[in-house]
Amino acid sequence: MNKTVLITGASSGIGEATAQYFLQKGWNVSATMRLPTKADTLKTAPNIIYPRLDVTVPATIKAAIDETLAQFGRIDVLVNNAGYALMGPLEGVTSEQLQQQFQTNFFGLVNTIQAILPIFRHQKGGTIINVASIGGRLAFPLTSSYHATKWAVEGLSESLSYELQRFGIQVKIIEPGGIKTNFIHRGTVWVSHPDYTMMIENMNSFMKRIDAALPGPEGVARSIYQAANDRSGRLRYSPYGETFFWLHALLPQPVWRSLISNIMLGKSWRRA
């Protein structure tokens, strides 16, 4: 019997690449998304379905899980991938914007995990894979809201891995570095503030410059597949991220912070 993976946020980017990769490997795939009409590239495959799932609407989570079980009989792996980045100075972020960032990136992930756990416990096994970011252990300018959610995902995941061991349920964290998807263009929401205009412009310029040079999401999809099949107890997988962690550990903090500031914000961003 083929194994089954349920993926949130599968309409594009990492989620879409992951659905394609698992499909190529012979898995049953539940490629969930808020708007299933976006499911174009894979819709003719026989062992894939496209349930509607909005992680901020718990009823759609339950419905997507039920549809997946009805179609495939079981779920072996949950990939929590849905998310977006709220970027800009914290001073310009409204309470509603910050709440929505956490509702999608953190509480939506929690809702999905809580919905799948009774099934995994009944099956006496399963794997939860949470897509975080190198930004779950490192922080960069003008991304404090997004980082807050990803650091929360890291802490939740590591703690959860202990409490689920006795049920045969594994927890994995994926920490991608920079990759080329439509995330920068479509998965990012910018906020502004007049006193941070130069910083925002410089950061935007930096992101656009590097976008074309970044690797695609396929390598992250392979890491997710590796995590899904890895029974070693390993917690973290960092496709394209290890160099950042290595440099952050190696360099003195003032040097690291100056390097990041100069690269991302430009040498002229500081006040004279």
Side-chain angles (χ1 to χ4, degrees), residues 37 44 96 114 120 132 164 172 196 199 215 242 262 264 272:
T37 53
T44 58
E96 291 76 16
Q114 288 178 326
F120 281 177
L164 296 182
K172 309 283 188 175
Y196 297 82
M199 293 175 68
E242 293 293 352
N262 290 338
M264 294 187 173

Side-chain angles (χ1 to χ4, degrees), residues 82-199:
Y84 73 98
L86 178 63
M87 295 193 63
L90 186 65
E91 195 173 350
V93 175
T94 67
S95 176
E96 291 76 16
Q97 288 173 321
L98 187 58
Q99 287 176 18
Q100 185 59 42
Q101 176 79 128
F102 268 87
Q103 283 296 334
T104 301
N105 289 12
F106 182 71
F107 291 113
L109 175 144
V110 171
N111 291 339
T112 310
I113 291 173
Q114 288 178 326
I116 204 79
L117 281 180
I119 294 159
F120 281 177
R121 285 191 293 102
H122 178 74
Q123 293 176 175
K124 295 182 172 55
T127 301
I128 296 166
I129 301 177
N130 294 328
V131 179
S133 165
I134 59 168
R137 285 200 281 160
L138 304 177
F140 302 106
L142 297 178
T143 325
S144 55
S145 301
Y146 174 73
H147 283 306
T149 65
K150 293 303 183 180
W151 284 53
V153 168
E154 288 270 350
L156 176 136
S157 301
E158 185 163 347
S159 178
L160 191 63
S161 68
Y162 292 106
E163 64 192 71
L164 296 182
Q165 275 182 322
R166 67 185 297 266
F167 301 110
I169 301 169
Q170 294 197 110
V171 178
K172 309 283 188 175
I173 309 170
I174 308 295
E175 302 168 324
I179 59 169
K180 183 176 178 58
T181 68
N182 63 2
F183 190 78
I184 288 177
H185 306 288
R186 225 182 67 188
T188 302
V189 175
W190 277 92
V191 299
S192 62
H193 188 287
D195 291 333
Y196 297 82
T197 300
M198 182 189 299
M199 293 175 68

